[in-house]
Amino acid sequence: LEIKDKSMVSLEEEWSFTEMYMFLLKTRFENALHFEVKNFDDLKNWGIVPLCIQMLFENAIKHNVVSISDPLIVNIELMDGYIQVSNEIKKRLDDAKSMGTGLENIRNRCNLILGKQIEIQSNEKEFAVRIPIVEIVAHESIDH
C-alpha cells in the first residue's frame, strides 16, 4: 500500500517487496514453484515502475501448470538496464484465452513513466519479459 501512489521506486525497495512476495508464493506452492535469481547485486542506483515483477509472477502462475511432479521455474535476472522475468511454457489445460491486460498495464506504465518499452519474447518453449530500469540520478525524485 505504501507504493501504490508512487510512479517509480528504487529497485532495492522493489526487490525487498518481491522477496516477500516470493516467500508467500513458495509457502502457497511449496516445491511446485522455484525461483532462480541472477545478478541482483547493485540495486541502490536503479529505479523501476512498482509491482511489475509481481505482475509477471502472477502471469506465469496463471498461464502455466504449477505441480510438484513438474515444478514451474521462474527466472529473474538483472541485465543491461532491464530485469528479465522468464519461465518455461507449461500451458494449463484449462487456460482461458488471455486478455493481455497485465502486460498491457506494465507496457503502458513503463512507456509513460520511463519513456521506455518492455520487451516480450515468446516461443513454444519459453516466455520472457524484459522490464526497463533507469538510473535514479537521471530522475529528480522517485516519489511522484
Side-chain angles (χ1 to χ4, degrees):
L1 293 174
E2 291 176 15
I3 62 172
K4 76 176 184 73
D5 294 326
K6 293 182 181 180
S7 58
M8 187 170 55
V9 295
S10 73
L11 187 52
E12 186 173 45
E13 184 179 5
E14 178 74 357
W15 187 246
S16 176
F17 183 76
T18 299
E19 287 180 314
M20 288 185 279
Y21 189 65
M22 287 175 9
F23 175 79
L24 290 174
L25 291 173
K26 286 292 292 174
T27 301
R28 177 179 174 196
F29 293 104
E30 298 179 338
N31 291 328
L33 179 64
H34 297 283
F35 295 100
E36 293 186 2
V37 180
K38 297 178 187 169
N39 300 329
F40 269 74
D41 304 329
D42 177 28
L43 307 180
K44 290 185 181 193
N45 298 322
W46 296 97
I48 188 171
V49 175
L51 303 174
C52 289
I53 300 171
Q54 291 78 12
M55 290 176 77
L56 294 176
F57 289 173
E58 290 171 9
N59 194 52
I61 292 166
K62 175 183 175 182
H63 295 289
N64 293 281
V65 173
V66 181
S67 71
I68 292 175
S69 62
D70 189 15
L72 179 64
I73 300 170
V74 178
N75 300 290
I76 310 103
E77 185 172 4
L78 184 59
M79 55 181 2
D80 303 322
Y82 288 88
I83 290 180
Q84 179 170 292
V85 177
S86 63
N87 60 274
E88 183 180 352
I89 294 176
K90 300 177 181 189
K91 279 283 193 196
R92 294 170 50 129
L93 294 176
D94 63 346
D95 188 24
K97 180 84 172 145
S98 174
M99 301 297 287
T101 53
L103 288 175
E104 189 63 26
N105 177 296
I106 294 170
R107 177 182 283 121
N108 290 339
R109 290 172 49 219
C110 287
N111 190 31
L112 179 69
I113 296 163
L114 304 178
K116 295 185 175 192
Q117 297 292 320
I118 65 171
E119 297 176 8
I120 301 171
Q121 300 169 338
S122 182
N123 57 42
E124 297 96 32
K125 294 183 180 184
E126 184 180 61
F127 184 81
V129 177
R130 293 179 63 170
I131 305 167
I133 57 174
V134 295
E135 285 189 83
I136 292 174
V137 293
H139 293 277
E140 294 176 11
S141 171
I142 59 173
D143 290 332
H144 292 100

